[in-house]
Amino acid sequence: EGHVTLRNPDSPNLSKDYSILQYADTIRDTGTEGYFEYRIEADDIGKGILRVSEKWGGIWRAPDNYTFTARNSSQQGIELVERFPPRRDNDNIDMRMPWIPPPTDTSPALLTSSERKYEYDWWGTIISKHRPNSYYTNPIHPYRPNPVRILYWMREGRAPIYTKS
């Protein structure tokens, strides 16, 4: 779990493992007004400079009393603001704030949006344990299975909330 909430904090990097999730609630508290927005995107960084068409994910809005480090799947009152690229069908990111499940030997999930009714239910997983010859980070299957990189962002401060243009 330590690598999920804090990893290489002194070396921010978009192409290597990095996390400051343990500070996310403190950062969120500096500027929310009843809610905040977060973004999850999956991409394949081997394609050079990213274009919108190479990113898959979305933006969600959550009440400001929700935490980025929840230890249960109860934070379900979120709103999907935008998917990219636009599509009508569902992806595997469940309509709940990502959470840190208890460690098990049968589930690879370390940070997931899945309800986890079953130990093998890893769809919607953002961070997983490494298992040789297996791919368990698959939040947006079948569109972007086994992405090279998954980013989990938060809107900071009191900036205007995302609106479609």
Side-chain angles (χ1 to χ4, degrees):
E1 176 192 317
H3 290 271
V4 172
T5 59
L6 192 66
R7 184 170 180 111
N8 301 318
D10 298 325
S11 303
N13 195 316
L14 293 177
S15 60
K16 295 183 180 176
D17 287 345
Y18 170 74
S19 174
I20 56 169
L21 192 62
Q22 79 176 32
Y23 304 125
D25 291 343
T26 301
I27 295 168
R28 176 209 58 217
D29 291 344
T30 64
T32 62
E33 296 182 15
Y35 52 85
F36 62 93
E37 291 180 347
Y38 65 93
R39 174 179 177 143
I40 299 171
E41 62 187 76
D43 62 47
D44 295 321
I45 59 174
K47 296 180 180 176
I49 297 174
L50 296 174
R51 296 180 300 273
V52 172
S53 63
E54 295 173 344
K55 296 179 185 180
W56 293 81
I59 299 171
W60 289 263
R61 186 172 295 142
D64 66 1
N65 63 333
Y66 278 22
T67 178
F68 281 88
T69 56
R71 300 303 198 267
N72 63 58
S73 63
S74 65
Q75 298 183 133
Q76 297 180 20
I78 64 172
E79 171 191 352
L80 177 63
V81 177
E82 178 75 11
R83 280 182 209 255
F84 45 89
R87 56 195 187 278
R88 284 188 269 196
D89 52 346
N90 292 327
D91 53 31
N92 290 320
I93 300 174
D94 287 348
M95 290 302 293
R96 71 176 41 79
M97 185 98 179
W99 62 287
I100 301 167
T104 70
D105 290 334
T106 57
S107 175
L110 298 174
L111 181 66
T112 186
S113 68
S114 172
E115 184 179 2
R116 289 194 49 181
K117 288 183 181 177
Y118 309 102
E119 288 298 313
Y120 55 84
D121 185 12
W122 51 272
W123 300 108
T125 295
I126 298 165
I127 300 174
S128 69
K129 299 175 196 172
H130 173 73
R131 291 192 176 171
N133 303 315
S134 299
Y135 299 97
Y136 288 102
T137 50
N138 210 339
I140 311 174
H141 178 82
Y143 306 104
R144 186 61 73 204
N146 310 315
V148 173
R149 173 174 69 176
I150 299 173
L151 302 173
Y152 184 26
W153 306 86
M154 171 186 41
R155 179 182 301 278
E156 294 181 56
R158 299 184 188 276
I161 296 299
Y162 175 87
T163 56
K164 295 179 186 178
S165 52

